[in-house]
Amino acid sequence: KGRAIIVGAGIAGLATAIRLAVQGWQVQVFEINSYPGGKLSWFEQDGYAFDAGPSLFTQPQYIEDLFALANEPIQDYFQYVQSDVACRYFFANGKQVTAWADHSKFAAEMETQLGEPAANVHAYLQRSATTYNKIGKLFVEKSLRHWRQFSWKEVATAIKHSSKSLLMSSLNAYNEQAFTTKEAVQMFNRYATYNGSNPYKAPGMLSLIPHLELNVGTFYPKGGMISITNALHRLAEKKGVQFHFNSKVDRIIESAGKAEGVVVNGRNIMADLIVSNADVYFTYKHLLRNELAAKKVLKQERSSSALIFYWGIKTSFPQLGLHNIFFSDNYAEEFRHLFQTKSFYPDPTVYINITTKMESGQAPEGKENWFVMINAPANVGQPWSEWIPEARQRIISKLSAQLQCDVEALIETEAVLDPVTIEQRTASYMGSLYGTSSNSRMAAFLRHANDSAQIQGLYFVGGSVHPGGGIPLCMQSAAITVNLIQKQYKLKHVAHH
Ligand code: FAD
């Protein structure tokens, strides 16, 4: 075939590299950092192992697909198990719910713990499956141009099959229709945060996300989330992909409307096609020096960011599981702070991920590795150095009250990641976790496409472009992009003859 260059070794860059190499392209990946994975990275501190970024693994099928495509036995690279509990929820009023993977058990738990009729839970999950299968699935598997140019009919048909409230109401309004208790509404509103959005603004369509978590399931990769990065990196190398770490791409070389190569360390490296896995805003601003196009990207609101404390905890908490949520007392106010005043709400929703619940070796015996995260506003230059210690104190007070112990005294080691360091380490504009938010009805259709309309041979993959952020969608962006490349090169080949 030809030579392909990928800018960035995030998971979408890795998946694209594998797919192109399998098709016979000579692939080179350039990455600023000394390691692959971008946001999906890892570190060890004082005997504790921490996944730095993502902690929830859904839709393992997309990882399986890459190994099948490459004709490599996945079990030699990557193993995972299905969890029997999706999440443990702790409400400000003291109520607790375990979200069992088993529907009957989960619905019964909602009824006994919250007084939410089990039938409402069953009905919701059924509608969620229909919405995903009729609309969501089509959307994430096809290119945006496909939707824009050819398929409005398909969209219209798909939407006809579902209730108007999926598009016309917010997720919160949709959930208020579906449930009788405020706790159930809060639980199902939280799914908007899976792509960094605001449930009071994002459309009811996001009610398809629980289908993926509660119908299809949640999974745990053996060795932690970093095993996903490691498996894809190894598979890419096996397929002949060349990696260049500590190698920042400074510019994409463009001539007469065609991408011709990249500049790395003052050297021009030429190729037949370029795929940028870097944030699309930075790709336009720095790599293409196109301020206008960069500005256009910003017309869409960025997703939220996060503040994370990685704590080595010197005891263990039997009441906690792999994923735990301690809800804020006022969710609407929390989101108003995050997206409108761009600040922290004083009683934030706290998420704790503890991988020692799944396997030993991630912390010293009898101790736990806590990944403690609250949603943070996008970085617009807030006084973080004042806000972060304040937020830390509030998290500690909240957890200490709920867990009835002095959490501060149990912290043996600590590291912090905040919107500024997320931006610095993964070149994600404003520290956004998921590129753009879905805080408008049409947001899904307004993300940047996977190919460039102006520059031939230039493509985009990853969380800041179609179909969106999160591991599964990043995997899909690689699949859609490589399909586009395949089609466009086939056409070119035919035209040449
Ligand atoms: P990134 O991971 O952003 O990688 C881009 C890469 O490009 C980086 O390595 C960067 O260094 C490199 N790069 C950028 N510019 C250049 C350049 N000029 N030259 C060379 N290299 C360059 N998703 C889930 O599915 N589940 C979760 O639980 C979850 N939780 C999250 C929690 C946190 C704290 C964060 C930060 C994210 C979370 N996500 C989660 C989202 C998920 O991590 C991302 O959507 C996904 O990892 C993004 O992958 P990517 O390939 O788009 O890019």
Side-chain angles (χ1 to χ4, degrees):
K1 284 248 166 92
R3 295 159 306 167
I5 284 177
I6 298 178
V7 184
I11 46 161
L14 293 173
T16 308
I18 293 164
R19 286 180 177 271
L20 287 174
V22 165
Q23 287 191 4
W25 290 84
Q26 268 176 45
V27 186
Q28 297 199 70
V29 179
F30 293 91
E31 166 58 53
I32 306 177
N33 293 327
S34 57
Y35 53 86
K39 295 186 179 72
L40 210 168
S41 68
W42 173 92
F43 66 96
E44 200 170 10
Q45 187 169 302
D46 300 330
Y48 291 88
F50 295 101
D51 277 310
S55 53
L56 176 63
F57 181 38
T58 55
Q59 297 181 280
Q61 187 57 47
Y62 290 140
I63 310 283
E64 295 266 358
D65 288 350
L66 291 173
F67 285 87
L69 204 67
N71 208 11
E72 284 287 317
I74 187 166
Q75 66 276 11
D76 292 358
Y77 293 77
F78 183 63
Q79 289 170 16
Y80 59 91
V81 291
Q82 181 150 13
S83 312
D84 57 357
V85 171
C87 189
R88 295 184 195 208
Y89 295 97
F90 300 80
F91 293 90
N93 59 14
K95 291 183 183 171
Q96 293 183 15
V97 169
T98 301
W100 298 99
D102 179 307
H103 280 188
S104 307
K105 238 169 130 180
F106 174 47
E109 171 98 358
M110 293 286 281
E111 191 157 318
T112 49
Q113 300 299 317
L114 304 178
E116 182 64 50
N120 287 352
V121 179
H122 285 298
Y124 192 97
L125 292 179
Q126 225 159 45
R127 275 202 308 277
S128 177
T130 309
T131 309
Y132 180 76
N133 290 325
K134 291 242 160 71
I135 306 175
K137 196 163 180 294
L138 283 173
F139 177 76
V140 302
E141 287 176 359
K142 296 206 166 148
S143 89
L144 261 189
R145 290 197 201 291
H146 174 96
W147 285 117
R148 284 187 188 145
Q149 290 170 4
F150 312 109
S151 273
W152 281 108
K153 249 206 230 139
E154 261 178 281
V155 178
T157 318
I159 289 175
K160 226 171 44 205
H161 283 292
S162 51
S163 87
K164 236 171 55 186
S165 57
L166 289 174
L167 272 184
M168 306 313 279
S169 328
S170 68
L171 180 63
N172 174 66
Y174 181 88
N175 289 340
E176 282 184 339
Q177 287 280 317
F179 296 112
T180 56
T181 59
K182 63 180 193 322
E183 291 87 0
V185 172
Q186 190 169 25
M187 280 172 71
F188 283 83
N189 276 356
R190 190 179 72 94
Y191 289 100
T193 65
Y194 282 30
N195 60 21
S197 304
N198 176 352
Y200 301 88
K201 289 270 154 66
M205 190 67 79
L206 297 196
S207 62
L208 60 76
I209 301 176
H211 165 67
L212 302 172
E213 180 171 298
L214 297 166
N215 294 332
V216 181
T218 58
F219 300 83
Y220 177 75
K222 232 177 125 198
M225 297 296 282
I226 189 61
S227 304
I228 300 174
T229 292
N230 291 341
L232 298 190
H233 180 217
R234 264 183 67 206
L235 180 61
E237 282 195 318
K238 176 82 195 240
K239 292 287 137 189
V241 173
Q242 282 180 1
F243 284 90
H244 308 270
F245 293 106
N246 303 305
S247 301
K248 178 175 180 225
V249 170
D250 287 314
R251 202 157 64 77
I252 291 173
I253 305 166
E254 181 212 340
S255 158
K258 190 172 174 338
E260 297 196 321
V262 294
V263 181
V264 181
N265 292 328
R267 211 157 58 90
N268 291 2
I269 301 155
M270 310 313 277
D272 302 291
L273 63 91
I274 317 288
V275 182
S276 177
N277 176 215
D279 188 309
V280 61
Y281 172 76
F282 282 134
T283 302
Y284 278 118
K285 189 170 166 73
H286 300 310
L287 304 187
L288 293 162
R289 314 214 172 140
N290 184 340
E291 289 286 343
L292 215 66
K295 251 203 187 135
K296 209 168 145 202
V297 169
L298 292 190
K299 276 198 182 146
Q300 277 214 270
E301 187 176 19
R302 288 251 123 185
S303 86
S304 54
S305 187
L307 172 62
I308 301 150
F309 296 97
Y310 308 89
W311 287 336
I313 295 283
K314 61 182 174 194
T315 183
S316 73
F317 286 81
Q319 67 271 52
L320 299 180
L322 175 64
H323 304 287
N324 312 275
I325 286 288
F326 292 82
F327 272 123
S328 93
D329 59 357
N330 188 335
Y331 223 25
E333 266 305 296
E334 182 174 9
F335 283 97
R336 200 181 64 74
H337 277 71
L338 291 171
F339 287 97
Q340 279 168 36
T341 57
K342 306 239 182 287
S343 57
F344 287 119
Y345 178 59
D347 179 29
T349 296
V350 180
Y351 165 73
I352 310 181
N353 174 247
I354 311 171
T355 65
T356 52
K357 298 292 183 189
M358 299 303 287
E359 60 185 338
S360 58
Q362 306 262 326
E365 196 60 34
K367 302 183 175 183
E368 291 181 342
N369 59 346
W370 284 20
F371 167 109
V372 181
M373 176 170 120
I374 61 171
N375 292 314
N379 175 31
V380 288
Q382 295 92 325
W384 297 112
S385 57
E386 281 165 39
W387 286 10
I388 291 169
E390 261 173 40
R392 180 181 185 276
Q393 225 30 63
R394 287 183 177 138
I395 294 169
I396 288 177
S397 308
K398 181 182 174 91
L399 294 177
S400 297
Q402 290 253 3
L403 295 168
Q404 295 173 357
C405 66
D406 177 10
V407 169
E408 172 97 69
L410 300 173
I411 303 172
E412 248 182 7
T413 187
E414 176 178 77
V416 187
L417 188 69
D418 59 53
V420 175
T421 42
I422 291 174
E423 172 159 340
Q424 281 162 358
R425 283 189 211 160
T426 67
S428 186
Y429 185 56
M430 292 183 170
S432 81
L433 302 192
Y434 303 96
T436 55
S437 74
S438 295
N439 292 343
S440 78
R441 212 186 311 156
M442 294 310 289
F445 295 99
L446 298 174
R447 281 208 176 79
H448 199 288
N450 300 104
D451 57 349
S452 164
Q454 277 79 39
I455 305 173
Q456 209 194 324
L458 177 63
Y459 300 85
F460 305 88
V461 294
S464 67
V465 294
H466 178 72
I471 299 164
L473 295 190
C474 285
M475 292 293 104
Q476 272 312 103
S477 80
I480 293 169
T481 302
V482 174
N483 277 342
L484 275 173
I485 291 172
Q486 201 177 5
K487 268 194 211 134
Q488 284 164 6
Y489 277 79
K490 232 186 232 156
L491 282 178
K492 219 171 109 186
H493 196 70
V494 172
H496 268 296
H497 287 76

